[in-house]
Amino acid sequence: MKKHVKSNVYWVGQNDWELRRFPGYEYSTYRGTRYNSFIIQEEKTVLIDTVITSFSSDFVKNLAKEIDLSSIDYIICTQAEEDHSGALPELMSLIPDTPIYCTENGRDVLKGNYQQDWNFVTIKGEERLSIGNGKELVLVDFPLSTYPDTMFCYMSIDNILFSNVLFGQHFSSELLFNDLVVQYDLSFESIKYYANLLSPLSNVVTKKINDCIKRNIPLDMICPSHGILWRNNNLQIVTNYLMWANNYHENQVTIIYDTMYKGTRAIAQSIAEGIYVADPHVNIKLLNASICNRNDIITEIFRSKGVLVGSPCMNHCILPSISLILDIAKGLKFKNKKAAAFGSCGLKDLSIGIVDKKLKEAGFDIVMDPISFKCSLTDEALEASRNYGWLFWDLLSRND
């Protein structure tokens, strides 16, 4: 069922309520996701994006109920990945000559994925496409390092930005717009999406947003390829992106650990107690990396000004859950995060050196030497851990 967006623009996408991991098993989607696709019905009829392959038959069948498929004049593919283009093979089997506007990278990906040489019209730089009634689609090639096939699409007069990967969330809802959904859910999914997927692109994102601000482009609505559409106070998400891209942190410390015989957990808890004594107003998160979802952990790291990471020693190494989190953080290139390592062991203490090294490799600013204890924890060891937490927060407060 198509839903009205604005003027002659309609949503024709698909909610995926059951999805819990995407793509593959990489990203947790507690609230499912939504694949956004749009029909513009001016003098020209334009389809912007489709949906993932698993919903392609439903998508084409439902679209055919709403419009005559042969009336589609242009298809805009803002990104060639399967979750945005998956219904193209079934759709194009019915309207094979319809031009598909995409970037050169997008064309190459579409050809590679579907082994079809459709009627591609490639976009270089910025090009305009008249759709009648004085309106234009401004198509902008905007390659990103992790999404080299990305294209923006801006609709004049109605002032709608079809922003593809930017400003989205993995969020399934029958409600289209940001002012209609639960605000906490929207806020959480938006910052999680940015922290886990877009933070390495912060410099490029900031530059593009500032370029648009300088050009004073009117913006009434933002329609990303996933999740909720922004209409009421729509610039709030743009402001948030500029804030998140600028070495973002809140008044928070996140303590991440894994444990075998509860020793490392006891150290983590004592460190938290010490931070609380130093400042009872700081938000402290204790996260067991073997239990907590890794995307949630990454989101909390992104929010934090300080991060402490602890692991016991196993097989001359650290526990895999901790290694994985630090490897992910390395790829995300977080900035301006203070950190320190801690751990426990039986006889041979190797873990804290490995954690300390991996924190440095991930770009964290190490502010204290690691702390570690052997065998059963004494009261003195727990007190030393509390002092360690107190000193860690003291250093952060003085350097903030």
Side-chain angles (χ1 to χ4, degrees), residues 304-317:
S304 298
K305 64 172 65 175
V307 178
L308 295 117
V309 181
S311 173
C313 183
M314 184 180 75
N315 297 331
H316 305 287
C317 198

Side-chain angles (χ1 to χ4, degrees), residues 136-331:
E136 291 182 319
L137 296 180
V138 183
L139 306 177
V140 182
D141 183 4
F142 185 49
L144 299 167
S145 58
T146 48
Y147 306 98
D149 52 337
T150 299
M151 179 173 69
F152 290 160
C153 177
Y154 176 78
M155 184 176 179
S156 66
I157 297 181
D158 288 311
N159 304 330
I160 301 174
L161 174 64
F162 300 95
S163 60
N164 190 262
V165 70
L166 297 189
F167 311 123
Q169 337 80 35
H170 287 296
F171 194 145
S172 188
S173 176
E174 290 296 337
L175 303 171
L176 284 185
F177 302 108
N178 65 304
D179 52 307
L180 302 179
V181 298
V182 176
Q183 294 303 296
Y184 172 82
D185 293 346
L186 178 60
S187 176
F188 176 81
E189 294 299 341
S190 295
I191 193 170
K192 176 182 174 181
Y193 188 90
Y194 188 94
N196 283 272
L197 300 175
L198 297 177
S199 56
L201 310 174
S202 290
N203 290 339
V204 179
V205 169
T206 299
K207 184 177 184 302
K208 178 57 67 173
I209 290 175
N210 286 331
D211 285 346
C212 292
I213 292 173
K214 289 177 183 178
R215 294 170 64 179
N216 198 28
I217 298 173
L219 196 59
D220 294 341
M221 189 175 293
I222 301 173
C223 297
S225 291
H226 285 295
I228 306 303
L229 315 183
W230 303 88
R231 66 172 182 185
N232 183 52
N233 190 21
N234 62 80
L235 292 181
Q236 66 176 299
I237 188 61
V238 179
T239 301
N240 284 343
Y241 265 51
L242 289 173
M243 178 174 62
W244 295 337
N246 187 26
N247 298 332
Y248 180 75
H249 66 256
E250 300 170 14
N251 190 41
Q252 177 171 315
V253 172
T254 296
I255 304 171
I256 306 155
Y257 68 94
D258 200 348
T259 192
M260 292 191 294
Y261 297 105
K262 301 182 181 179
T264 310
R265 185 183 73 179
I267 298 171
Q269 291 172 334
S270 296
I271 290 173
E273 291 170 5
I275 295 172
Y276 176 81
V277 170
D279 185 350
H281 302 291
V282 64
N283 189 21
I284 306 169
K285 296 289 181 76
L286 265 72
L287 304 175
N288 184 321
S290 66
I291 297 174
C292 298
N293 176 265
R294 63 176 179 256
N295 301 120
D296 293 345
I297 293 174
I298 289 297
T299 304
E300 298 306 336
I301 292 175
F302 181 71
R303 284 175 154 159
S304 298
K305 64 172 65 175
V307 178
L308 295 117
V309 181
S311 173
C313 183
M314 184 180 75
N315 297 331
H316 305 287
C317 198
I318 60 177
L319 294 184
S321 63
I322 296 297
S323 184
L324 175 61
I325 290 297
L326 293 176
D327 287 342
I328 294 172
K330 180 179 179 180

Side-chain angles (χ1 to χ4, degrees), residues 1-205:
M1 180 181 70
K2 72 178 183 181
K3 298 180 180 181
H4 186 241
V5 175
K6 183 182 181 184
S7 300
N8 293 320
V9 181
Y10 300 88
W11 179 88
V12 291
Q14 177 69 49
N15 277 299
D16 193 346
W17 294 96
E18 297 178 353
L19 189 72
R20 289 298 176 267
R21 292 282 188 176
F22 180 83
Y25 291 90
E26 295 308 308
Y27 187 99
S28 58
T29 53
Y30 304 133
R31 296 175 176 87
T33 196
R34 189 165 70 194
Y35 313 106
N36 290 330
S37 174
F38 305 92
I39 279 285
I40 301 171
Q41 294 179 292
E42 297 291 345
E43 292 177 17
K44 299 291 186 180
T45 299
V46 183
L47 174 67
I48 299 181
D49 292 326
T50 66
V51 299
I52 199 166
T53 304
S54 55
F55 288 105
S56 59
S57 294
D58 289 341
F59 174 80
V60 174
K61 181 177 65 176
N62 292 334
L63 189 61
K65 292 178 181 178
E66 302 293 348
I67 63 170
D68 177 1
L69 296 181
S70 64
S71 71
I72 298 175
D73 295 289
Y74 313 124
I75 297 172
I76 308 297
C77 184
T78 65
Q79 195 180 76
E81 289 186 346
E82 182 194 345
D83 51 322
H84 309 299
S85 66
L88 277 178
E90 188 162 342
L91 178 63
M92 296 305 290
S93 70
L94 302 173
I95 50 172
D97 297 324
T98 305
I100 299 175
Y101 286 76
C102 57
T103 67
E104 290 185 352
N105 286 326
R107 174 201 60 198
D108 294 343
V109 173
L110 289 171
K111 283 185 175 183
N113 282 348
Y114 306 117
Q115 305 300 304
Q116 297 288 333
D117 191 13
W118 293 313
N119 181 15
F120 294 109
V121 181
T122 56
I123 299 301
K124 296 180 180 179
E126 179 177 309
E127 299 186 21
R128 295 174 179 267
L129 181 64
S130 176
I131 58 174
N133 297 320
K135 299 181 181 182
E136 291 182 319
L137 296 180
V138 183
L139 306 177
V140 182
D141 183 4
F142 185 49
L144 299 167
S145 58
T146 48
Y147 306 98
D149 52 337
T150 299
M151 179 173 69
F152 290 160
C153 177
Y154 176 78
M155 184 176 179
S156 66
I157 297 181
D158 288 311
N159 304 330
I160 301 174
L161 174 64
F162 300 95
S163 60
N164 190 262
V165 70
L166 297 189
F167 311 123
Q169 337 80 35
H170 287 296
F171 194 145
S172 188
S173 176
E174 290 296 337
L175 303 171
L176 284 185
F177 302 108
N178 65 304
D179 52 307
L180 302 179
V181 298
V182 176
Q183 294 303 296
Y184 172 82
D185 293 346
L186 178 60
S187 176
F188 176 81
E189 294 299 341
S190 295
I191 193 170
K192 176 182 174 181
Y193 188 90
Y194 188 94
N196 283 272
L197 300 175
L198 297 177
S199 56
L201 310 174
S202 290
N203 290 339
V204 179
V205 169

